[in-house]
Amino acid sequence: MATLPAYDLTGRTAFVTGAASGIGRATALLLAEAGATTHCADRDGQGAEETAALIARAGGTAHPHLLDVTDRTALAAAVHAAGPLHVMAAIAGVMHTSSVLETREEDFDRVLAVNFKGVLYACQEAARSMIDAGVPGSIVTMASGAMDTASPGLLCYSVTKAAVVQLTKTLATEVGPYGIRVNTVAPGWVRTPMTDRHEPAAQQQAEAAMIRHSPLGRVGEAQDIAHAVLHLASDASAFTTGQILRPNGGVAMPW
């Protein structure tokens, strides 16, 4: 498939965390299809290898990494090994469900470690790689529509995703002079292994509610979000930084 010039990533290097499944895998596949040499990182090493194999079978170039994003030293080593980066897609994340009163310290610490600290570390290492190499790159983080609403049971998830937005905006102001853009994607309900963990009845009920409130009349697929990431990673968004892109089917339309 021919790639529009603004979306052509040929000759560029991309690093994707959370690449073993869901939005991370879809993003890795799409960035590779656009021409990027794609590094697929995940704590699920087998899943990361499978994603890299899918890219290779499609004619692309990919390298798998067994990586826990909460391990700052390991993440720094993986980014360094990948060489000068042009794109970082920090997608790895986890979800924990509990009421505010039932939330334990260890639960919050785990979600905070992956959803915020892991994104912070990825952003830091990517920015350092780009600055040291003089590369005008793009960093894309993953927030969530949950940050805009009060959703019972999603305190840990919502708070950490809101924090990612502030990280994104702050970093954008700091690295813009180096030609580095930093943006975030805040998806609505998307069918992924993370959302599929609900009981079937609860899953259907949640999806039905989203469909009723969506002007487009459907829930999202991982590919929908991957296209949003590609847009922000590419030259098509060359004048875009510090922004929130909300692919949510119109379920929410905040200012």
Side-chain angles (χ1 to χ4, degrees):
M1 182 181 72
T3 302
L4 292 172
Y7 288 95
D8 188 358
L9 300 181
T10 301
R12 303 186 192 185
T13 299
F15 197 100
V16 181
T17 70
S21 63
I23 294 171
R25 171 172 285 183
T27 296
L29 293 172
L30 192 60
L31 294 178
E33 184 179 348
T37 295
T38 305
H39 292 260
C40 308
D42 204 289
R43 64 183 299 175
D44 175 2
Q46 181 177 347
E49 290 179 359
E50 290 172 355
T51 299
L54 288 170
I55 291 172
R57 283 200 290 272
T61 302
H63 305 280
H65 298 268
L66 172 61
L67 176 67
D68 184 338
V69 294
T70 67
D71 185 337
R72 188 173 197 156
T73 301
L75 198 155
V79 170
H80 179 76
L85 296 187
H86 301 82
V87 176
M88 167 61 79
I91 297 175
V94 296
M95 181 182 289
H96 173 78
T97 304
S98 67
S99 70
V100 173
L101 296 182
E102 295 173 340
T103 297
R104 301 174 302 174
E105 182 178 5
E106 56 265 35
D107 296 329
F108 184 75
D109 286 348
R110 173 175 172 269
V111 179
L112 180 68
V114 177
N115 289 6
F116 181 72
K117 289 185 178 181
V119 175
L120 171 63
Y121 301 157
C123 288
Q124 289 176 322
E125 296 308 324
R128 290 183 180 120
S129 173
M130 295 169 184
I131 291 170
D132 290 347
V135 172
S138 174
I139 298 172
V140 184
T141 62
M142 192 60 55
S144 169
M147 70 189 184
D148 293 320
T149 59
S151 302
L154 289 182
L155 169 71
C156 299
Y157 186 74
S158 300
V159 167
T160 54
K161 290 301 186 178
V164 165
V165 173
Q166 193 59 38
L167 164 63
T168 300
K169 292 179 178 180
T170 303
L171 183 60
T173 66
E174 294 179 353
V175 299
Y178 296 97
I180 300 170
R181 298 178 296 106
V182 192
N183 295 284
T184 194
V185 178
W189 185 278
V190 180
R191 288 194 183 107
T192 68
M194 182 182 291
T195 57
D196 285 344
R197 291 172 185 167
H198 294 81
E199 292 295 327
Q203 177 84 2
Q204 292 175 5
Q205 184 178 15
E207 289 193 1
M210 293 299 122
I211 290 170
R212 285 196 302 272
H213 289 90
S214 170
L216 299 182
R218 71 176 179 89
V219 296
E221 303 292 345
Q223 192 74 3
D224 294 317
I225 314 308
H227 278 284
V229 176
L230 173 61
H231 174 71
L232 293 174
S234 72
D235 292 342
S237 60
F239 195 52
T240 302
T241 196
Q243 302 303 309
I244 305 170
L245 181 56
R246 291 180 168 92
N248 60 24
V251 171
M253 302 182 188
W255 288 99

